[in-house]
């Protein structure tokens, strides 16, 4: 499922670090090789997967299994 990550933005600092923001709040800072790789991957990878991987904002087990619950099917 490809798409735009909701609420995520990033800023490039003068020193080359990259700040990842979620709804305007700092989620993480990437430095050095990680920052360079992010800038390369941000245009070519799945943006939702990239932001989730870098910020640790993966769905938890109960959220993954809840989507299979009868009341949540078709959403």
């Amino acid at each position: 499922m490809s798409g735009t990550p909701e609420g995520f933005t990033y800023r490039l600092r003068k020193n080359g670090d990259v700040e990842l923001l979620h709804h305007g709040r700092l989620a993480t800072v990437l430095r050095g090789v990680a920052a360079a790789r992010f800038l390369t991957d941000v245009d070519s990878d799945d943006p939702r997967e990239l932001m989730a991987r870098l910020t640790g904002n993966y769905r938890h087990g109960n959220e993954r299994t809840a989507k299979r619950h009868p009341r949540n099917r078709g959403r």
Side-chain angles (χ1 to χ4, degrees):
M1 175 194 319
S2 181
T4 304
E6 295 180 24
F8 283 102
T9 56
Y10 69 93
R11 292 189 295 217
L12 183 59
R13 293 180 178 173
K14 290 181 182 179
N15 65 358
D17 294 350
V18 176
E19 294 179 342
L20 295 181
L21 306 158
H22 188 247
H23 295 290
R25 297 180 67 191
L26 185 64
T28 192
V29 177
L30 304 174
R31 294 179 173 85
V33 175
R37 182 164 182 194
F38 171 80
L39 293 172
T40 302
D41 292 347
V42 72
D43 292 325
S44 60
D45 282 356
D46 176 13
R48 285 187 185 193
E49 189 275 330
L50 179 63
M51 292 296 187
R53 180 169 41 89
L54 293 172
T55 62
N57 192 10
Y58 285 103
R59 286 187 168 205
H60 301 282
N62 60 339
E63 293 172 323
R64 283 192 304 268
T65 57
K67 71 181 178 183
R68 292 190 302 262
H69 190 278
R71 84 169 161 257
N72 295 328
R73 289 188 187 145
R75 285 187 179 182

